[in-house]
Amino acid sequence: MTNQSTNLPWEEKAVANGQPTVLRRPDSLDGFGKLGGKYVPETLMHALSELESAFRALATDLDFQKELDCILRDYVGRAPLYFAERLTENYKRPNGEGPEIYLKREDLNHTGAHKINNAVAQALLAKKLGKERIIAETGAGQHGVATATVCARFGLKCIIYMGAQDMERQTLYVFRMKLLGAEAVQNIIASLMKRP
C-alpha cells in the first residue's frame, strides 16, 4: 500500500502545537489554487525564478550557511540572547515565581537594527548568482543604510529608491547611504501615493 498525500500540490502537512496543520505553498506556477500567487510584471518573472531556484539550492548548502553564519557573527555582530537579570527580578511575584526575561539585542548589530540580517543574506545570495548590483525600494531609512552597508562590504553597486517624503523625513539616513557609496533615488510612484 502506498502512502499518497491527499494535499493539493501547493499544500504541505505540518504539526503545530501537537495538531496537524496544512502549510500553503505555491504550486509550480506560483499560484495557490484558483486565487493568489505572484503579482509582478511578467518582465520580472525570469529574475524571480532564478532567485527562487538559487535560494532553494543555497538554503540547504552547508558551505553557504557556514559563510552566512560567520558574516552574521563577525561582521554584523549578532549577539546571543541576553538574560535581563534585573528585569526578571522586577517581575517576580512575592512567592518567587515569575518569568525569566531574555532580550534579543538587535540594536547592537552593525547599523543598529535587525535589517542588516536580511540584507547580508540577500547580498551574499546576489554574489553567488554573479550579480553586480542590488536595487532596493524602501520607506525605512535603516533598511537603506543596511543595504548600502552590505553592498559596500561585498563590493556591489547599490541603488536605493525612496519616496520624496521619506527622503526628506530621513535625510540623515539618506546621507549615510550616500556616504556608503549608494545612489539614493527619489521614487516618483511612492511619492505620489498618499500615506495615512
Side-chain angles (χ1 to χ4, degrees):
M1 180 176 197
T2 60
N3 184 9
Q4 291 186 326
S5 172
T6 58
N7 291 354
L8 297 172
W10 58 86
E11 296 179 337
E12 179 181 306
K13 285 187 178 179
V15 176
N17 298 326
Q19 298 296 317
T21 184
V22 174
L23 300 174
R24 308 267 302 168
R25 302 279 189 211
D27 61 22
S28 62
L29 299 174
D30 299 314
F32 291 88
K34 293 180 182 179
L35 303 172
K38 292 179 184 167
Y39 184 71
V40 296
E42 190 63 33
T43 55
L44 293 179
M45 288 305 292
H46 174 73
L48 290 174
S49 294
E50 180 186 20
L51 180 64
E52 184 178 3
S53 295
F55 171 78
R56 289 181 191 269
L58 293 172
T60 56
D61 182 300
L62 294 179
D63 290 334
F64 179 84
Q65 294 300 322
K66 184 178 177 182
E67 184 178 2
L68 177 59
D69 288 344
C70 182
I71 293 167
L72 288 172
R73 183 189 66 235
D74 299 337
Y75 181 71
V76 172
R78 290 190 80 181
L81 292 177
Y82 169 76
F83 177 60
E85 184 178 338
R86 292 185 62 217
L87 199 53
T88 296
E89 191 63 37
N90 184 63
Y91 285 100
K92 277 192 179 173
R93 293 186 280 279
N95 66 1
E97 293 179 355
E100 287 187 358
I101 300 173
Y102 290 83
L103 302 176
K104 190 168 188 294
R105 297 292 311 273
E106 296 289 345
D107 59 309
L108 299 177
N109 286 347
H110 185 29
T111 73
H114 67 280
K115 292 165 174 39
I116 196 165
N117 298 322
N118 197 26
V120 163
Q122 290 171 348
L124 189 57
L125 178 60
K127 287 294 279 189
K128 297 291 183 185
L129 285 168
K131 304 302 179 188
E132 297 177 358
R133 70 178 173 166
I134 298 283
I135 298 172
E137 192 284 326
T138 185
Q142 284 188 317
H143 174 242
V145 169
T147 303
T149 300
V150 298
C151 285
R153 159 65 172 80
F154 287 102
L156 295 166
K157 182 178 179 183
C158 182
I159 305 169
I160 309 287
Y161 289 92
M162 292 181 77
Q165 289 177 343
D166 295 322
M167 289 181 84
E168 184 179 316
R169 197 169 40 88
Q170 302 182 58
T171 55
L172 181 58
Y173 289 125
V174 173
F175 174 75
R176 289 179 68 192
M177 291 176 221
K178 291 178 179 179
L179 196 62
L180 289 159
E183 180 183 351
V185 178
Q186 189 179 104
N187 182 345
I188 303 302
I189 294 172
S191 297
L192 296 175
M193 292 173 56
K194 292 184 179 178
R195 297 191 183 229

